[in-house]
Amino acid sequence: MPRDHRPAKSIRVLLAEDQGMLRGALALLLGMEPDIEVVAQVGTGDRIVDAALLHRPDVALLDIELPGMSGLDAAALLREEAPDCRVLILTTFGRPGYLRRALEAGAAGFLVKDGPVEELAAAVRRVLTGETVVDPALATAALSAGPNPLTARECDVLKASVDGATVADIAARLHLSESTVRNYLSSAIGKTGTRNRMEAMREARRQGWL
């Protein structure tokens, strides 16, 4: 809709999505809503806060899996740096653990990408009024899944296990002793019901705990 047909006060939206084609399509579709204006688009997580401080959006739509910084980490920073900006997580991965982490980071909503754009636009309006908007199926799954059993340090050690890192590598990266790293890995393996640290990392990612 032409800009002069918009209401005097449009909802200003920041869109963070690393897939350029999808980002452009979402921006185009949301921009067709008479009361929504996409004022900023970024493709990496580490650009979100700067873009928010520059463009002052009312709502930030953030993907989770972003290069540079995850949408969840960016949501937590936005809560500190731009508290007036409401955050709506929009992701392909409807994992219960992600929902819990998003809400803990201060997000006002969590939706999966396969929904119609009309629902997304409605969610943008709803979070701006102070509502929390969560995909119903995901909310049910999160309740049945229970909380993340891993401690913060166990999560750190699993994250550091990528790319075949050795125990010594992980210890140096996290400034821990090798015996402490082994203890954390053993505990994480037990809690995830897996056989080794790579399986534990994959299971933790599947659940959205990492």
Side-chain angles (χ1 to χ4, degrees), residues 5-36:
H5 287 179
R6 292 180 179 275
K9 173 62 175 173
S10 293
I11 301 171
R12 296 170 61 82
V13 171
L14 180 154
L15 180 59
E17 164 61 54
D18 63 327
Q19 297 182 40
M21 186 176 296
L22 178 57
R23 184 174 66 247
L26 283 173
L28 179 62
L29 291 170
L30 286 172
M32 294 173 68
E33 296 291 321
D35 58 341
I36 295 177

Side-chain angles (χ1 to χ4, degrees), residues 180-201:
T180 299
V181 169
R182 290 191 183 92
N183 288 339
Y184 282 135
L185 287 172
S186 178
S187 178
I189 291 167
K191 288 179 179 179
T192 55
T194 53
R195 296 173 298 180
N196 54 58
R197 59 176 167 152
M198 297 310 296
E199 287 187 5
M201 183 181 65

Side-chain angles (χ1 to χ4, degrees), residues 15-31 38 40-43 61-66 90-93 111-117 120:
L15 180 59
E17 164 61 54
D18 63 327
Q19 297 182 40
M21 186 176 296
L22 178 57
R23 184 174 66 247
L26 283 173
L28 179 62
L29 291 170
L30 286 172
V38 177
Q41 301 178 47
V42 298
L61 293 177
L62 310 182
D63 190 12
I64 290 181
E65 302 287 347
L66 291 169
L90 184 64
T91 182
T92 303
F93 306 103
L111 297 175
V112 291
K113 291 179 183 177
D114 59 1
V117 71
L120 177 57

